[in-house]
């Protein structure tokens, strides 16, 4: 039997020579640190598992790093090589230590594991062990020969050490035997167990666990109970993970005291009888009806009833997520008890650039605890949770892009951490009509898995087709292991509540004052749009919504040529400029705006989840549901005094949707629109909308959308080829998504998906590859970021803009600046320096634009032009 001192000689974490602190932290003590975090998580009900597996959780999690007791891992630090056990130092080829750990657990720890897992044999046991070992974001690899007990990196002495480590840990925890766990149940549990182990390892590796000298520890049980548990509680607290107690449900006004009269939809959310177990709610109501408040009211009921611990609100874009975060800051504390400290986090790739979020991040002390300056405010987020999108999902209340949630069902690194974060929450997804075939397939998978794990979901939309509503209900029912009930109701507004096989569809009246008739008038082309905007009354708030960035820039220029000053808002601005323009648009045309006169030319960035109000909207033709969305920005709020126009009017630029159009019917007038929307869908939408002559809410909204998306309706002969191509592309996109999503039935394993970094796992199927341009300028001989920020990493992020890769194959370096460019890139992170899709663009000023030379994929030399009020153009 090995002595404790021999086991403590194996390093788990090491650092260069230091004059005071220990040079390494023993792997065995790190295992106990992480087990202590798992124990605290179980105490605080952060694991989501009431299964008997949770009783053995600290012991199982303690085994996570057993792969560090091998030659393959210990060789990474020759200074701490355990010479007494392994003899003279020598290098050997070896896989990752998580893979080594899985092999050790599977083949060399049976003497200890057999009494614990006697009723869990074969594939079921493997699923549990794989989840414990695979704590670095992806599952461990399988051995090429499953019968080879000593693959590369594991010598016979390693197997002896592993058995001794497992025995020592078992002596600390003395785990009771687990109940019989079948293969299917073990594979389901493996996803949750992998997430718990990953989170515990992250916290157990943090600043609360200082290095401890091996010689100072004589008793592992005493170390665990008197040292590790104490530090684990501090780590969980400082990370912002301690659950917040719910506030008893006190009706809609308990959350939103400013709402004097609930809308019919909000009243339904407040009073509808909730069946037992997880529920799916679909809220279809007009823009401005208070769907978000209705969803949060329903979520509060579920939280107060103990069915959820928080909320995650998912939106289509970073702009809409940022706007929703601003709204949530004012209301989310109403979900929880007054003396609680719930965290609110913004989850998307650029969250750290949004001042609305960074203002909520609590300052931390040097030891990782909250600093003395950290005080309770109206909203707060622990710095640990704020550090990355995957952590943000662990906050009690999260707001982010739908991509952050979808990464939980894709083989992205740390998908299990996202799954753990979402598992205890009510998942609210806004604008569910807005996703393409690829993302819808991912979304169905997310709903299935969320329901299977006992989660509830609330879906919001201005309107859905009956088919899409049916598919959402079916996905949720499948996750609950039930047959889906039939979706039959076509009323609007409509509230749908599903739980397993049960389904209730409840028509509701519209909120008083929101029923309206928007006149729809066709404009022949962009020139007619410019003329209509020029003819608008002075002082009116006008929006021109264009379907592509190039068209928006062209429209802005056309208005400028007429002497009409307009603000331009699209996605091809550097991030810092885009955030500035977004705030300007919200301030000028938002609910509380007063001086509203002006014109904004924008892309689809203003049609979803942004609370904007215009007197007149001109728009390129779009699918009928998006036209309904855009019309919802007309006369959205009651204003003092008279509107400057006699009626709400939506002017739609569109070729005449005659019964026998030419094949290039749409492309001849709006080539950009034809490139992004299926021509048959636009033709059906145009026929329906212009035949009606109005968008009558609620009268014809459902009929317009169903007519546009009626796949059974014939199309003109000239459009049949396009129709077949679109169907094929949608089918292919769905197939690609089905291949890309995780195979949850396989359990947490390498074969469950093509595991990769979450920066390279696609949540969206791009028609063409994209690249990120980092805009820069020259100051005092140095290449510096376009944006100004005290933190260089933020300045570079604020200077980024995404474009199609075909536009920029390469960017030339200005003469004499090669060394300065190299110096600028040297300050980037390693991944950013090595990523081929990130390009540094040095701009120099010419007149009112900043320019750079570029080469496209055809080797044609051109230029990049940038202006902080126009955005980026490739010419």
């Amino acid at each position: 039997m090995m002595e404790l001192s021999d086991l403590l000689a194996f390093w788990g974490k090491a650092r260069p020579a230091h004059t005071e602190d220990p040079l390494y932290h023993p792997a065995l003590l790190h295992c106990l640190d992480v087990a202590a975090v798992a124990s605290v998580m179980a105490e605080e009900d952060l694991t989501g598992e009431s299964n008997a597996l949770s009783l053995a959780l600290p012991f199982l999690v303690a085994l996570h790093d057993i792969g560090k007791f091998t030659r393959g891992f210990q060789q990474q630090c020759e200074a701490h090589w355990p010479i007494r056990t392994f003899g003279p130092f020598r290098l050997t080829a070896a896989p990752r230590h998580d893979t080594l750990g899985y092999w050790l657990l599977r083949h060399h720890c049976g003497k200890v594991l057999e009494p614990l897992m006697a009723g869990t044999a074969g594939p079921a046991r493997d699923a549990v062990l794989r989840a414990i070992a695979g704590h670095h974001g992806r599952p461990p690899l399988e051995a090429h020969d499953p019968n080879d007990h000593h693959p590369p990196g594991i010598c016979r002495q390693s197997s002896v050490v592993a058995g001794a480590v497992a025995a020592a840990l078992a002596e600390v925890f003395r785990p009771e035997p687990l109940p019989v766990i079948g293969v299917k149940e073990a594979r389901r549990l493996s996803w949750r167990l992998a997430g718990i182990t990953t989170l515990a390892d992250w916290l157990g590796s943090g600043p609360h666990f200082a290095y401890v000298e091996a010689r100072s520890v004589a008793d592992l049980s005493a170390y665990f109970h008197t040292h590790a548990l104490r530090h684990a509680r501090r780590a969980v607290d400082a990370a912002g993970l301690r659950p917040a107690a719910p506030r008893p449900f006190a009706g809609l006004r308990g959350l939103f005291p400013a709402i004097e009269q609930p809308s019919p939809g909000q009243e339904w959310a407040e009073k509808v009888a909730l069946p037992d177990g997880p529920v799916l709610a679909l809220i279809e109501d007009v823009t401005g009806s208070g769907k978000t408040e209705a969803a949060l009211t329903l979520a509060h009921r579920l939280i107060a009833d103990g069915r959820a611990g928080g909320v995650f609100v998912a939106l289509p874009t970073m702009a809409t997520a940022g706007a929703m975060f601003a709204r949530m800051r004012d209301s989310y504390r109403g979900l929880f008890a007054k003396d609680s400290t719930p965290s609110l986090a913004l989850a998307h790739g650029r969250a750290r650039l949004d001042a609305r979020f960074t203002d909520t991040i609590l300052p931390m002390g040097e030891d990782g605890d909250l600093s003395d300056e950290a005080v309770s405010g109206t909203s707060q987020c622990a710095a640990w949770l704020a550090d990355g999108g995957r952590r943000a999902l662990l906050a009690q209340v999260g707001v982010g892009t739908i991509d952050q949630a979808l990464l939980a069902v894709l083989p992205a690194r740390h998908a299990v951490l996202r799954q753990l974060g979402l598992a205890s929450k009510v998942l609210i997804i806004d604008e569910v009509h807005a996703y393409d075939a690829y993302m819808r397939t991912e979304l169905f998978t997310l709903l299935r898995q969320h329901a299977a794990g006992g989660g509830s979901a609330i879906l919001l939309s201005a309107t859905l087709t009956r088919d899409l509503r049916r598919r959402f209900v079916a996905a949720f029912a499948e996750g609950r292991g039930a047959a889906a009930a039939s979706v039959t109701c076509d009323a609007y507004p409509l509230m749908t509540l599903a739980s397993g096989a049960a389904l209730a569809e409840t028509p509701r009246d519209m909120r008083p004052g929101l029923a309206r008739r928007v006149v729809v008038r066709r404009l022949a082309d962009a020139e007619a749009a410019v003329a209509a905007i020029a003819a608008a009354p002075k002082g009116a708030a006008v929006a021109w919504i264009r379907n592509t960035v190039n068209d928006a820039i062209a429209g802005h220029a056309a208005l400028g040529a007429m002497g009409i000053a307009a603000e331009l808002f699209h996605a091809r601005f550097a991030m810092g400029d885009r955030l500035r323009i977004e705030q300007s648009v919200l301030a000028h045309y938002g609910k509380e705006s007063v001086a509203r006169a002006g014109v904004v030319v924008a892309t689809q960035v203003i049609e979803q989840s942004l609370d904007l109000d215009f007197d007149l909207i001109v728009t390129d033709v779009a699918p009928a549901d998006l036209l309904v969305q855009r019309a919802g920005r007309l006369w959205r709020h009651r204003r003092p005094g008279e509107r400057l126009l006699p009626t709400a009017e939506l002017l739609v630029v569109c070729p005449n949707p005659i019964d026998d159009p030419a094949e290039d019917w749409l492309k001849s007038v709006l080539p950009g629109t034809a490139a992004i929307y299926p021509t048959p869908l636009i033709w059906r939408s145009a026929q329906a909308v212009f035949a009606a002559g109005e968008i009558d809410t609620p009268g014809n909204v459902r009929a317009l959308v169903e007519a546009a998306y009626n796949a059974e309706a014939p199309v003109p002969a000239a459009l049949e080829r396009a129709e077949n191509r679109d169907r094929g592309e949608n089918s292919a996109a769905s197939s690609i998504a089905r291949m890309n999503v995780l195979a949850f039935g396989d359990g947490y394993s390498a074969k469950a998906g093509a595991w990769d970094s979450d920066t390279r796992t696609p949540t969206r199927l791009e028609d063409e590859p994209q690249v990120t341009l980092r805009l820069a300028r020259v100051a005092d001989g140095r290449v510096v970021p376009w944006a100004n920020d005290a933190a260089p990493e933020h300045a570079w992020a604020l200077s980024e803009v995404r474009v199609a890769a075909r536009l920029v194959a390469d960017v030339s370096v200005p003469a004499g600046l090669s060394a300065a460019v190299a110096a600028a890139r040297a300050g980037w992170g390693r991944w950013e320096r090595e990523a081929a899709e990130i390009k540094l663009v040095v701009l120099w000023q010419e007149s009112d634009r900043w320019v750079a030379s570029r080469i496209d994929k055809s080797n044609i030399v051109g230029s990049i032009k940038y202006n902080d009020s126009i955005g980026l153009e490739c010419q």
Side-chain angles (χ1 to χ4, degrees):
M1 181 175 179
M2 296 186 67
E3 297 292 331
L4 177 59
S5 60
D6 291 328
L7 297 181
L8 290 173
F10 287 78
W11 69 273
K13 296 186 177 297
R15 58 179 158 225
H18 194 280
T19 56
E20 298 176 2
D21 296 336
L23 298 181
Y24 77 88
H25 189 56
L28 191 54
L29 300 187
H30 170 68
C31 289
L32 292 173
D33 295 339
V34 175
V37 174
S39 180
V40 172
M41 288 171 61
E43 289 174 8
E44 299 289 350
D45 196 26
L46 293 171
T47 64
E49 283 297 338
S50 58
N51 185 283
L53 182 64
S54 63
L55 298 177
L57 186 66
F59 171 64
L60 290 172
V61 171
L63 296 170
H64 79 288
D65 257 349
I66 203 165
K68 289 185 174 180
F69 296 86
T70 59
R71 290 179 179 272
F73 178 81
Q74 291 295 310
Q75 68 185 1
Q76 296 180 55
C77 187
E78 184 177 357
H80 303 310
W81 174 259
I83 192 168
R84 284 179 52 185
T85 302
F86 285 157
F89 177 82
R90 62 183 175 87
L91 290 172
T92 182
R96 306 189 316 252
H97 73 272
D98 53 348
T99 292
L100 295 173
Y102 172 53
W103 294 351
L104 285 171
L105 290 171
R106 195 172 182 215
H107 295 300
H108 302 291
C109 297
K111 185 176 180 180
V112 176
L113 293 177
E114 185 59 36
L116 175 69
M117 306 181 74
T120 304
R125 182 182 298 192
D126 289 346
V128 173
L129 299 180
R130 200 181 288 116
I132 296 165
H135 58 282
H136 282 295
R138 52 186 175 179
L141 301 176
E142 304 287 341
H144 294 299
D145 179 359
N147 297 314
D148 183 2
H149 291 194
H150 294 92
I154 297 179
C155 62
R156 294 191 181 278
Q157 190 61 22
S158 296
S159 63
V160 173
V161 175
V165 169
L169 293 171
E171 184 65 24
V172 173
F173 297 103
R174 300 181 182 273
E176 294 293 325
L178 294 173
V180 175
I181 303 176
V183 174
K184 185 176 180 180
E185 175 66 3
R187 288 176 175 170
R188 184 194 71 80
L189 285 171
S190 69
W191 297 98
R192 187 72 58 87
L193 183 56
I196 293 167
T197 307
T198 299
L199 178 54
D201 182 59
W202 276 17
L203 292 175
S205 302
H208 291 93
F209 293 91
Y211 285 19
V212 174
E213 286 189 284
R215 65 185 180 182
S216 69
V217 178
D219 186 300
L220 293 181
S221 182
Y223 174 86
F224 176 78
H225 288 98
T226 64
H227 180 89
L229 280 174
R230 176 164 50 88
H231 290 282
R233 291 189 176 95
R234 288 178 60 196
V236 170
D237 281 345
L241 294 178
R242 192 173 294 279
R247 177 176 294 185
F249 182 67
L252 176 80
R253 295 199 65 187
L255 273 179
F256 306 102
I259 297 178
E260 296 182 2
Q261 180 60 48
S263 71
Q266 292 167 346
E267 188 176 58
W268 171 85
E270 188 177 37
K271 298 178 180 178
V272 64
L274 297 179
D276 293 336
V279 298
L280 170 69
L282 295 96
I283 300 177
E284 297 176 79
D285 207 344
V286 65
T287 299
S289 62
K291 294 188 290 293
T292 300
E293 290 79 3
L296 289 172
T297 298
L298 198 57
H300 190 194
R301 293 179 62 188
L302 294 168
I303 293 170
D305 198 32
R307 302 199 220 179
V311 175
F312 184 79
V313 186
L315 298 109
T317 66
M318 288 188 288
T320 56
M324 182 62 71
F325 180 84
R327 294 171 63 185
M328 289 293 289
R329 286 184 61 170
D330 298 329
S331 59
Y332 86 106
R333 277 188 172 273
L335 299 168
F336 302 98
K338 288 185 177 180
D339 58 350
S340 65
T341 55
S343 286
L344 171 67
L346 179 61
H348 62 63
R350 292 292 178 261
R352 280 284 195 154
L353 305 179
D354 193 323
R356 293 168 296 193
F357 176 46
T358 55
D359 287 348
T360 72
I361 300 174
L362 299 176
M364 309 297 283
E366 292 183 1
D367 59 358
D369 287 325
L370 296 180
S371 70
D372 293 337
E373 291 77 25
V375 294
S376 178
T378 57
S379 56
Q380 61 183 27
C381 183
W384 190 86
L385 286 173
D387 188 18
R390 55 179 87 115
R391 292 186 188 181
L393 269 64
L394 295 163
Q396 279 82 43
V397 176
V399 179
T401 57
I402 185 64
D403 309 78
Q404 298 299 323
L406 293 179
L407 282 167
V409 297
L410 291 169
R413 196 173 180 202
H414 294 301
V416 290
L417 203 65
R418 297 176 188 275
Q419 294 166 22
L420 184 66
L422 291 175
S424 62
K425 294 183 176 62
V426 179
L427 178 59
I428 300 176
I429 305 176
D430 199 6
E431 311 286 5
V432 290
H433 63 277
Y435 305 112
D436 59 18
Y438 180 86
M439 293 186 73
R440 281 200 302 268
T441 301
E442 295 174 308
L443 189 49
F444 297 147
T445 303
L446 178 63
L447 280 178
R448 261 193 307 273
Q449 291 312 120
H450 194 61
S456 294
I458 305 172
L459 311 183
L460 312 179
S461 176
T463 184
L464 296 172
T465 63
R466 183 194 290 190
D467 179 65
L468 190 51
R469 196 174 349 126
R470 175 190 62 78
R471 295 173 72 186
F472 283 134
V473 168
F476 191 83
E478 185 180 345
R480 299 305 303 155
S486 297
V487 170
T488 60
C489 187
D490 285 332
Y492 183 77
L494 181 65
M495 312 292 140
T496 304
L497 189 66
S499 177
L503 179 75
E505 296 174 291
T506 306
R508 301 298 288 172
D509 292 332
M510 189 161 290
R511 177 180 237 159
L514 288 184
R516 58 185 167 177
R517 173 178 170 271
V518 172
V519 174
V520 177
R521 181 157 56 91
R522 188 178 72 86
L523 300 178
D525 50 32
E527 288 75 16
V530 171
I533 293 170
K538 186 177 181 180
V542 181
W544 185 5
I545 304 176
R546 310 229 58 188
N547 291 331
T548 71
V549 174
N550 286 343
D551 285 342
I553 293 173
H556 180 267
L559 290 174
M562 293 280 291
I564 301 172
E567 189 164 25
L568 188 57
F569 184 26
H570 56 70
R572 211 189 292 164
F573 282 99
M575 182 56 65
D577 292 331
R578 179 173 172 175
L579 290 172
R580 170 181 54 78
I581 294 169
E582 176 189 325
Q583 290 305 305
S584 171
V585 170
L586 282 168
H588 201 73
Y589 304 103
K591 183 177 182 179
E592 305 301 328
S593 60
V594 178
R596 301 173 56 254
V599 178
V600 59
V601 182
T603 56
Q604 297 92 325
V605 293
I606 68 167
E607 79 182 24
Q608 296 170 343
S609 299
L610 295 182
D611 190 359
L612 302 173
D613 179 12
F614 296 98
D615 299 314
L616 173 68
I617 292 180
V618 181
T619 175
D620 292 347
V621 68
D625 54 332
L626 300 188
L627 291 178
V628 170
Q629 284 284 109
R630 296 175 188 185
R633 272 65 192 164
L634 272 169
W635 295 28
R636 183 179 174 104
H637 298 296
R638 292 185 180 276
R639 298 284 178 187
E642 295 280 332
R643 293 271 182 174
L644 297 176
L645 291 147
T647 186
E649 193 171 37
L650 186 72
L651 307 183
V652 182
V653 177
C654 180
N656 190 8
I658 57 177
D659 291 338
D660 57 342
E663 186 175 0
D664 66 347
W665 165 78
L666 181 60
K667 187 177 181 180
S668 62
V669 175
L670 294 169
T673 297
I676 62 172
Y677 293 126
T679 296
L681 171 61
I682 295 297
W683 179 82
R684 287 194 297 265
S685 296
Q687 279 233 320
V689 169
F690 293 133
E694 63 184 16
I695 296 175
D696 179 14
T697 307
N700 69 355
V701 167
R702 182 80 74 189
L704 293 177
V705 174
E706 291 292 347
Y709 287 93
N710 183 3
E712 304 303 319
V715 296
L719 302 185
E720 286 180 355
R721 185 167 65 175
E723 178 86 327
N724 292 333
R725 182 180 65 248
D726 295 334
R727 287 177 179 173
E729 289 175 354
N730 284 339
S731 178
S734 297
S735 296
I736 293 171
R738 283 191 291 271
M739 289 189 294
N740 283 353
V741 296
L742 288 164
F744 284 93
D746 291 335
Y748 183 61
S749 65
K751 68 177 183 178
W755 295 89
D756 203 347
S757 163
D758 56 8
T759 62
R760 290 194 292 265
T761 304
T763 57
R764 304 178 189 233
L765 190 63
E766 294 178 329
D767 293 331
E768 55 184 353
Q770 301 279 304
V771 294
T772 297
L773 304 184
R774 285 192 159 182
L775 306 183
R777 50 195 172 81
V778 179
D780 299 325
R782 295 183 303 114
V783 171
V784 299
W786 170 264
N788 293 313
D789 193 278
E793 65 274 18
H794 284 185
W796 283 115
L798 288 167
S799 303
E800 290 181 354
V801 58
R802 295 276 287 174
V803 299
R806 63 179 170 78
L807 296 176
V808 187
D810 203 358
V811 182
S812 62
V813 176
L817 288 179
S818 296
V821 166
R825 290 178 57 86
W828 298 357
R830 178 182 173 184
W831 179 85
E832 295 162 323
R833 293 195 306 270
E834 296 177 353
E837 63 267 29
I838 297 181
K839 300 179 182 294
L840 179 61
V841 178
V842 181
L843 301 168
W844 63 88
Q845 193 163 14
E846 288 185 2
S847 185
D848 64 337
R849 305 280 177 97
W850 291 72
V851 301
S853 298
R854 70 169 179 86
I855 304 171
D856 69 16
K857 287 193 174 181
S858 303
N859 292 320
I860 298 174
V861 177
S863 65
I864 292 170
K865 293 187 176 182
Y866 188 80
N867 180 293
D868 60 7
S869 62
I870 295 174
L872 187 136
E873 301 172 88
C874 293
Q875 298 179 338

